[in-house]
Amino acid sequence: MPFYRSAGFVPPKRHTQHRAPDGSLYYEELMGEEGFSSDSSLLYHRHIPSAISEYRVWELPDQSTLPNHPLIPIHLFTHKLFEEGASGVDAVTGRRLLLGNADVRLSYVVADAVSPYYRNAIGDECLYLEAGEAVVETVFGDLEVGEGDYAVIPRATTYRVVPKSTVRIYAIEANSHITPPRRYLSRFGQLLEHAPYCERDLRGPSEPRVVEEENVEVYLKHRGPGPGGIAGTVHVLPHHPFDVVGWDGCLYPFGFSVHDYMPITGKVHQPPPAHQVFEGRNFVICNFVPRKVDYHPLSIPVPYYHSNVDSDEVMFYCGGDYEARKGSGIGQGSISLHPGGHPHGPQPDAYARSIGAEFFDELAVMVDTFRPLELGEAARASDDGVYAYSWARGDRGETGATDG
């Protein structure tokens, strides 16, 4: 994160004695990135944060992937994955893997149950709420999130998701950190004037709270011997991990609403980098939000056909009007995968039909990766099986509104 926050009760000088009213010492923990050479925060615990009383293996949901071979564009319908509802499913253990590579994994879950306490030791997580409301309780404090919100959670942060209603979550799990794009930041880390959002739009957690509870389970996802080099462990802690009386620093979870994103538009069609919101190692995240479109008198507002030769492109359609897709089978909850090596773009009718359009009412989250994505079990279960033929038939394909 590019700016400093302080919450709760912290001492005036770091790495010095910090005592409770009864004279007992609090335990200082540094959470720091990149070997103490990047952003960090100091947390002050009532109990030793390293203590473990028991441990066991956590058998993760299926993390296996298969190559996209033969290489084709694919349409996945995520709402098919939880057709019977979410009874008893939680937002951590209930995730189903859609797509993944060594840099990022994309999962989907419909949840109505409180998740276990959880910590991802592999990389940062970015949770996008397609629908519903929840509280993301963290060791730093709580984040209130609702439809259209991102919750960005740093690596190794202990948290759980408490739904207020049934939630639909698109989970982007990195093998790195997730940050604002570097081109939007000053050399000191402030979001610049041309950025489509600013620090005012980023919601930090509430004040920390101390929970008095013993023998608490925390589920860890970490590097290990499982598929994709991923494994799970459960630690039983003698005291609740939420025992922080105060913290300060520049590393913490935050919320951001897609509705606070100010789209960058132009006289002719703008390429995907104009829509970027976050980046990780070897991938980017973009928003396509309701916006005015191209105003050149001869413009074609839909995207030109394009070969993004270095990337696989994943578009998650999560709101708006898909008039251009009627009869296409793609709508709310759909995901399109356009692999590198395949030129893609709008369906033929949409290309001409978009001329004269002044506004697109759409909402989509795009992830572009710089290494090929493989298909997880959820992709294999929700593939429509016919999307690859859509441009040849002309009755299915890319919307006129999104990058495609």
Side-chain angles (χ1 to χ4, degrees):
M1 287 299 300
F3 60 101
Y4 169 89
R5 288 180 185 259
S6 178
F9 178 39
V10 299
K13 194 71 175 175
R14 62 181 178 174
H15 314 324
T16 60
Q17 297 176 31
H18 188 29
R19 294 186 180 273
D22 65 3
S24 61
L25 280 169
Y26 293 124
Y27 298 92
E28 183 184 61
E29 176 196 8
L30 175 72
M31 284 188 62
E33 298 177 340
E34 299 178 11
F36 304 102
S37 61
S38 188
D39 292 347
S40 66
S41 284
L42 288 166
L43 298 90
Y44 295 88
H45 296 265
R46 291 189 63 204
H47 305 285
I48 296 174
S50 308
I52 302 169
S53 57
E54 297 178 42
Y55 59 88
R56 67 177 187 273
V57 171
W58 170 24
E59 297 292 348
L60 292 171
D62 188 353
Q63 300 294 300
S64 64
T65 58
L66 295 175
N68 180 14
H69 182 73
L71 187 73
I72 55 171
I74 294 171
H75 166 217
L76 312 175
F77 190 48
T78 61
H79 289 188
K80 178 181 178 182
L81 298 171
F82 294 87
E83 289 179 317
E84 302 303 318
S87 181
V89 176
D90 72 74
V92 170
T93 66
R95 296 179 193 178
R96 297 184 65 178
L97 181 64
L98 293 158
L99 302 162
N101 61 21
D103 303 309
V104 64
R105 290 167 303 283
L106 308 175
S107 300
Y108 189 78
V109 64
V110 179
D112 59 6
V114 177
S115 79
Y117 294 100
Y118 166 67
R119 187 183 302 154
N120 189 329
I122 298 173
D124 292 0
E125 295 195 346
C126 179
L127 308 182
Y128 178 80
L129 265 73
E130 178 193 357
E133 295 182 337
V135 180
V136 180
E137 298 179 349
T138 85
V139 68
F140 293 88
D142 296 347
L143 289 173
E144 298 271 351
V145 290
E147 183 175 325
D149 277 343
Y150 291 101
V152 180
I153 304 166
R155 174 188 287 170
T157 298
T158 303
Y159 78 92
R160 71 174 182 176
V161 179
V162 181
K164 293 184 175 180
S165 61
T166 299
V167 291
R168 292 182 173 272
I169 294 177
Y170 182 50
I172 302 168
E173 300 178 21
N175 191 21
S176 62
H177 300 298
I178 296 173
T179 66
R182 281 166 288 182
R183 69 181 182 280
Y184 293 160
L185 299 175
S186 76
R187 63 193 179 100
F188 299 112
Q190 183 179 8
L191 285 158
L192 295 168
E193 284 295 297
H194 69 278
Y197 58 97
C198 73
E199 286 82 0
R200 295 183 190 180
D201 301 317
L202 306 180
R203 309 191 308 272
S206 67
E207 292 287 302
R209 53 193 171 81
V210 173
V211 179
E212 297 287 358
E213 188 177 335
E214 297 181 349
N215 299 317
V216 178
E217 293 185 342
V218 176
Y219 286 58
L220 282 78
K221 185 179 291 181
H222 55 89
R223 294 180 179 88
I230 301 170
T233 297
V234 178
H235 285 174
V236 180
L237 310 186
H239 299 282
H240 200 287
F242 295 176
D243 67 343
V244 172
V245 298
W247 65 271
D248 75 333
C250 296
L251 181 68
Y252 47 84
F254 65 91
F256 173 67
S257 173
V258 72
H259 305 298
D260 287 330
Y261 184 87
M262 300 290 103
I264 297 170
T265 60
K267 199 168 184 177
V268 294
H269 185 78
Q270 298 299 294
H275 304 279
Q276 189 177 350
V277 59
F278 301 121
E279 67 183 12
R281 185 174 60 217
N282 290 329
F283 73 94
V284 299
I285 303 173
C286 300
N287 291 323
F288 293 86
V289 301
R291 64 195 182 277
K292 289 187 175 183
V293 291
D294 322 343
Y295 50 91
H296 187 285
L298 297 179
S299 68
I300 300 176
V302 297
Y304 33 78
Y305 293 88
H306 52 285
S307 296
N308 192 357
V309 297
D310 296 317
S311 298
D312 278 13
E313 177 192 284
V314 183
M315 192 77 75
F316 175 53
Y317 303 95
C318 45
D321 182 6
Y322 298 111
E323 186 69 25
R325 288 187 181 274
K326 282 190 174 178
S328 72
I330 289 183
Q332 177 83 20
S334 286
I335 286 178
S336 60
L337 166 64
H338 300 131
H342 174 255
H344 57 275
Q347 63 189 78
D349 288 347
Y351 199 68
R353 190 169 59 242
S354 72
I355 294 174
E358 297 182 353
F359 186 84
F360 285 158
D361 179 17
E362 64 170 0
L363 195 60
V365 174
M366 186 178 80
V367 176
D368 269 10
T369 68
F370 297 108
R371 286 199 271 193
L373 287 162
E374 296 195 341
L375 310 180
E377 64 83 17
R380 304 192 292 271
S382 59
D383 181 4
D384 76 355
V386 296
Y387 185 62
Y389 307 113
S390 60
W391 292 271
R393 288 206 310 263
D395 64 351
R396 198 180 278 225
E398 291 307 291
T399 179
T402 64
D403 175 66

